[in-house]
Amino acid sequence: MPRKPAKKRQTTRESSQAEKPTEKEKPTTTGQTKSSYSAKDITVLEGLDPVRKRPGMYIGGTGLDGLHHLVWEVVDNSIDEAMAGFCTEIEVILHKGNKVTVTDNGRGIPVEKHKVTKKSALETVMCTLHAGGKFGGEGYKVSGGLHGVGVSVVNALSAQVTAEVRRDGFTYTQEYIRGEAKGNPKKGQSTKETGTAITFDPDPEIFKKIEFSWKKIVEHLRQQAYLTKNVQIKIIDERELNGKPKELARSLAFYFEGGIKSYLGHLNEGEKVVHETPFYIEKEIDDISVEIALQYTNEINGLELSFANNIHTGEGGTHVMGFRSALTRAINDYARKNDHIKAKEENLSGDDVREGLSAVISVKLKDPQFEGQTKAKLGNAEMRTAVQSVMLTAFSSYLEEHPQEARQIMGKCMLAQKARKAAKAAKDTVIRKGAMDGLTLPGKLADCSSRKPEECELYIVEGDSAGGSAKQGRDRGFQAIFPLRGKILNIERARLDKVLSSKEIKSLIIALGTGVGEEMDMGKLRYHRIIIMTDADVDGAHIRTLLLTLFYRHFEKLVEDGHLYIAQPPLYKVQVNKKSEYAYTDQDRDEILDNFKGEIKKGAKVNLQRYKGLGEMNPGQLWDTTMDPENRTMYQVQVEDATKADRTFDTLMGAEVAPRRKFIQTHAQYVKNLDV
Ligand code: 0RA
């Protein structure tokens, strides 16, 4: 399971990191493509009608994600300019009314006439769809852009666009309405600078809601800045200025000299690291670039972030496979050579060498193939060997050259192996063949009388006292209660397999009836609704987290099939005179109080009770509010595999990063609201 940084990050911190690159000159050496542009580099294909007809094909959809894609797409073009070595600064301005300007100091989009279309290159770039390589294959070595569709898509989906190019000593501007140019580019003032500024106004005919998220934009651009060394990305929000001077607009600037090495530092912030010096390699072979940074932490979980052409590959792919196999191999080779592993002992496994590992893997290649459910998995076979060979050579040298770090890393991996073996032994005792057979139902389970699993429900309740209320309040026909003693589970960073071997959990598994591991049989599930009912406090959240993790890891099918629920007890009881109502959220509470406004004004007696725990409710109340199928609201837990990777990533990158265990808690919110 991915891990997230433990500390809450301050967004202002990056501002101070925004040092300007000292060297202003643009590099002219390796990594650069030919700098003279000619018209034949542009493959003209088709107009923009298809984009307006089926926007989803180009930007994924017309919701908020699609809307933000417009920004990513324009910024990608500037980042391509930066990767080609011609651009050092990018600025994104959010204007009032959610217009956006993206400015860069690259070469500027060419403005001369295109031989085939007889139109300016600028208009060709802005108003025609380009297939495959950005400009007929030769223009750029690599190109970002989710679909590589380019800025014309943004033009097609905007009510209005202005392109301003500084190039060849002059400023040129051209305007477009819904993808169509209004006249030719106009030559304006003379200038020594070069660059491009695109201002676009997303089309309300296309997008349901036009409101850019500062947080989303900041997170995306921060990540892009990490992935593109030596480019400064500035973001300015002028939307809420209301006449105040522009200097007061909120703004952030990102500039990371260290690239993904800086990224790694950011991810490991607040973590205890196993060794001081991170490993870092950047290498280009032929048309491929491989960049890897890694450092071990004392955590149990690892964190592996991978990218291809600056696009997050949440489902991994060939580059990640190459990385993993080289890591395992390099460490095992080193361990044998230095006698950490004796001749007859077994090798460290992939899991052993990845425990607590934070790694960022970024590759750039000419023709990336994205596969998988969310197109977030790199498929190019050649990347496996490329990354593997770069990683094996470089990481082996690192280990040789850093004996102290090597020793620390070995220690960490050997410990992981030991722990894995111990955990396996513990797990084996739980799930060994027949271990669950013939066991009688645990005494603490208050079972229901029905034997029809479809109608049966199992409430897993926190604490004995709440368990007592639930037992008295339930409908014993179909509702069973399993009281869980909180303390047992409340082990910080408990290894799951240890949890599995606890007596408490063993009893729970027996109650479920399915067995676990190889022996698991969903057909034997005794209850089709398993409902986690915990207090609305931190401990409750922690127990819920552990239970969810347990179910995800060992009973995934059960979650997949929609058997797992989370009960929603009320937070308040609002009593006005003799009438009382329950509030399940703060908003509920305010609404209820609002409804009683008249009576309250007339001097009615108001009593607001906040429930701190389930135990504060009597059996009748618990039934009315939380257990009665006619009245209750429950959340159905879902494993949304397709988007999980994305979300995990969002959580990881989030500006409001709470402690790690909160991460699993947030899974509880990825659930469908369901009134049963
Ligand atoms: C076509 C050719 C060249 C640069 C660009 C497009 C270009 C596009 C964008 C979009 C945003 N910023 C951009 N900067 C450059 C090459 C120009 C040359 O050879 O001088």
Side-chain angles (χ1 to χ4, degrees):
M1 185 155 313
R3 168 165 58 79
K4 68 195 245 164
K7 219 166 68 184
K8 189 165 178 144
R9 277 182 248 126
Q10 292 156 351
T11 31
T12 44
R13 195 181 63 85
E14 284 92 355
S15 285
S16 58
Q17 282 199 346
E19 325 146 21
K20 282 248 165 94
T22 43
E23 189 142 27
K24 265 278 169 195
E25 261 169 292
K26 295 167 187 178
T28 49
T29 49
T30 51
Q32 181 183 332
T33 47
K34 58 177 192 160
S35 60
S36 73
Y37 154 85
S38 69
K40 73 169 167 39
D41 287 345
I42 298 184
T43 349
V44 180
L45 269 172
E46 45 182 329
L48 298 175
D49 280 350
V51 184
R52 288 186 64 87
K53 285 212 183 82
R54 304 179 68 188
M57 290 259 298
Y58 300 88
I59 52 163
T62 53
L64 276 186
D65 281 344
L67 179 72
H68 285 80
H69 249 126
L70 300 182
V71 183
W72 312 161
E73 204 57 67
V74 182
V75 172
D76 278 350
N77 284 282
S78 302
I79 287 186
D80 281 349
E81 253 325 77
M83 291 205 293
F86 299 103
C87 161
T88 53
E89 282 169 42
I90 301 170
E91 186 181 80
V92 177
I93 304 176
L94 308 177
H95 304 281
K96 203 170 154 70
N98 285 287
K99 267 194 185 197
V100 181
T101 301
V102 178
T103 310
D104 68 52
N105 64 348
R107 288 169 293 181
I109 304 178
V111 283
E112 68 267 26
K113 269 223 169 83
H114 187 277
K115 287 205 186 74
V116 181
T117 58
K118 302 276 195 298
K119 287 182 176 149
S120 69
L122 175 61
E123 186 172 333
T124 310
V125 167
M126 295 299 293
C127 303
T128 37
L129 267 175
H130 314 283
K134 199 163 244 176
F135 298 101
E138 269 207 272
Y140 281 58
K141 194 177 65 173
V142 291
S143 117
L146 180 62
H147 309 95
V149 285
V151 70
S152 61
V153 165
V154 177
N155 195 16
L157 303 176
S158 297
Q160 196 267 344
V161 169
T162 308
E164 191 184 303
V165 171
R166 283 158 287 134
R167 192 181 158 93
D168 307 329
F170 288 94
T171 306
Y172 300 86
T173 47
Q174 190 172 30
E175 198 193 324
Y176 316 84
I177 304 286
R178 300 203 155 86
E180 285 192 40
K182 282 187 71 187
N184 293 320
K186 279 197 201 71
K187 192 168 175 176
Q189 284 184 333
S190 72
T191 177
K192 286 205 180 77
E193 291 170 9
T194 64
T196 307
I198 308 278
T199 301
F200 64 95
D201 195 359
D203 192 348
E205 287 176 14
I206 304 281
F207 296 96
K208 297 179 193 106
K209 186 178 164 204
I210 301 174
E211 170 87 56
F212 287 103
S213 150
W214 171 255
K215 188 170 163 230
K216 229 178 160 84
I217 290 178
V218 164
E219 281 165 17
H220 182 87
L221 296 183
R222 178 202 284 128
Q223 190 187 61
Q224 293 298 312
Y226 276 125
L227 292 167
T228 320
K229 252 194 240 180
N230 292 319
V231 61
Q232 190 201 66
I233 304 182
K234 200 168 173 187
I235 318 158
I236 304 163
D237 190 352
E238 294 181 353
R239 288 174 299 179
E240 313 255 320
L241 276 178
N242 298 327
K244 279 181 277 178
K246 290 205 165 169
E247 297 75 61
L248 294 180
R250 64 174 161 176
S251 74
L252 272 177
F254 301 115
Y255 171 77
F256 302 111
E257 219 166 22
I260 62 168
K261 209 199 299 179
S262 310
Y263 202 171
L264 183 71
H266 171 68
L267 295 170
N268 278 352
E269 225 167 67
E271 302 282 356
K272 279 211 182 77
V273 291
V274 170
H275 54 107
E276 205 52 48
T277 319
F279 161 76
Y280 176 75
I281 179 74
E282 184 189 18
K283 205 168 163 78
E284 282 191 32
I285 8 172
D286 304 326
D287 266 347
I288 295 172
S289 137
V290 178
E291 201 184 350
I292 300 169
L294 70 80
Q295 188 175 30
Y296 283 87
T297 72
N298 269 331
E299 289 291 316
I300 287 172
N301 297 306
L303 175 61
E304 216 172 43
L305 287 182
S306 64
F307 302 85
N309 292 5
N310 285 16
I311 297 162
H312 175 232
T313 39
E315 296 177 63
T318 48
H319 55 332
V320 174
M321 290 177 351
F323 164 77
R324 289 181 172 190
S325 77
L327 176 77
T328 312
R329 170 119 172 253
I331 291 187
N332 275 304
D333 287 354
Y334 184 91
R336 293 220 174 261
K337 209 166 126 195
N338 294 279
D339 227 28
H340 293 282
I341 304 179
K342 307 271 179 318
K344 279 189 191 138
E345 289 170 348
E346 66 179 284
N347 265 356
L348 293 158
S349 73
D351 285 339
D352 297 337
V353 301
R354 286 197 301 276
E355 188 176 293
L357 176 70
S358 298
V360 184
I361 303 144
S362 167
V363 298
K364 286 169 187 150
L365 63 160
K366 207 166 176 146
D367 185 20
Q369 305 293 320
F370 294 102
E371 305 174 341
Q373 274 191 316
T374 54
K375 293 263 173 265
K377 183 176 180 182
L378 185 66
N380 302 59
E382 74 276 14
M383 290 316 286
R384 192 191 159 117
T385 39
V387 175
Q388 191 171 6
S389 94
V390 169
M391 174 69 190
L392 185 61
T393 313
F395 193 59
S396 301
S397 316
Y398 167 90
L399 292 174
E400 294 298 340
E401 286 157 19
H402 297 81
Q404 188 188 333
E405 341 284 302
R407 219 175 311 115
Q408 289 160 327
I409 292 173
M410 286 308 141
K412 166 81 185 167
C413 295
M414 301 302 291
L415 191 68
Q417 186 189 43
K418 229 166 125 180
R420 174 177 60 92
K421 285 183 175 166
K424 185 171 181 304
K427 187 172 167 180
D428 285 349
T429 63
V430 184
I431 61 179
R432 67 166 195 278
K433 217 171 153 40
M436 297 280 177
D437 285 356
L439 285 175
T440 48
L441 286 172
K444 55 189 305 181
L445 171 75
D447 212 357
C448 53
S449 40
S450 166
R451 286 290 166 265
K452 289 190 194 124
E454 317 79 72
E455 62 183 37
C456 292
E457 301 182 341
L458 178 68
Y459 275 87
I460 304 173
V461 186
E462 169 188 3
D464 285 328
S465 78
S469 290
K471 256 182 230 176
Q472 288 175 49
R474 69 176 169 150
D475 180 332
R476 61 171 57 239
F478 66 98
Q479 293 180 319
I481 309 294
F482 188 92
L484 203 57
R485 267 197 295 136
K487 251 200 318 212
I488 302 283
L489 274 178
N490 209 354
I491 319 161
E492 193 65 35
R493 295 203 300 159
R495 275 184 185 268
L496 253 189
D497 299 321
K498 248 187 213 153
V499 174
L500 200 62
S501 68
S502 92
K503 206 173 137 224
E504 199 81 354
I505 296 300
K506 254 194 245 176
S507 299
L508 176 62
I509 294 170
I510 293 165
L512 292 176
T514 58
V516 67
E518 284 164 34
E519 302 258 289
M520 184 151 71
D521 179 358
M522 273 300 140
K524 290 190 182 155
L525 187 63
R526 300 179 63 246
Y527 313 90
H528 280 194
R529 280 197 278 272
I530 294 145
I531 302 153
I532 300 173
M533 187 158 76
T534 55
D535 288 341
D537 59 9
V538 178
D539 280 349
H542 193 190
I543 291 168
R544 192 171 61 225
T545 300
L546 275 162
L547 283 171
L548 281 176
T549 316
L550 175 85
F551 280 107
Y552 279 128
R553 292 257 180 112
H554 298 286
F555 299 90
E556 202 187 329
K557 185 83 173 64
L558 184 153
V559 184
E560 245 173 52
D561 291 349
H563 294 307
L564 191 62
Y565 298 81
I566 295 170
Q568 299 293 301
L571 290 179
Y572 305 95
K573 183 175 168 182
V574 187
Q575 200 163 9
V576 179
N577 282 343
K578 289 260 143 61
K579 282 176 269 183
S580 65
E581 275 188 53
Y582 297 100
Y584 293 82
T585 60
D586 286 353
Q587 201 188 340
D588 266 4
R589 173 201 59 197
D590 296 342
E591 269 168 28
I592 294 168
L593 285 171
D594 211 45
N595 289 342
F596 283 121
K597 214 164 47 192
E599 285 160 70
I600 294 173
K601 270 214 185 106
K602 283 189 214 133
K605 213 174 121 219
V606 183
N607 185 21
L608 184 69
Q609 184 188 358
R610 189 189 161 94
Y611 292 120
K612 285 186 222 74
L614 297 164
E616 289 177 25
M617 266 180 278
N618 63 39
Q621 287 172 326
L622 197 58
W623 165 260
D624 284 343
T625 59
T626 318
M627 298 178 74
D628 176 5
E630 298 284 318
N631 263 331
R632 72 188 174 190
T633 302
M634 302 199 299
Y635 285 102
Q636 185 178 38
V637 180
Q638 301 209 313
V639 195
E640 291 184 48
D641 280 323
T643 46
K644 204 165 81 190
D646 260 350
R647 283 175 174 148
T648 302
F649 189 69
D650 282 348
T651 319
L652 289 169
M653 298 297 107
E656 286 129 8
V657 184
R660 189 171 59 87
R661 67 179 189 195
K662 182 98 192 282
F663 165 69
I664 315 172
Q665 280 173 36
T666 55
H667 273 356
Q669 278 144 36
Y670 305 147
V671 294
K672 201 171 69 190
N673 199 340
L674 189 105
D675 289 354
V676 192

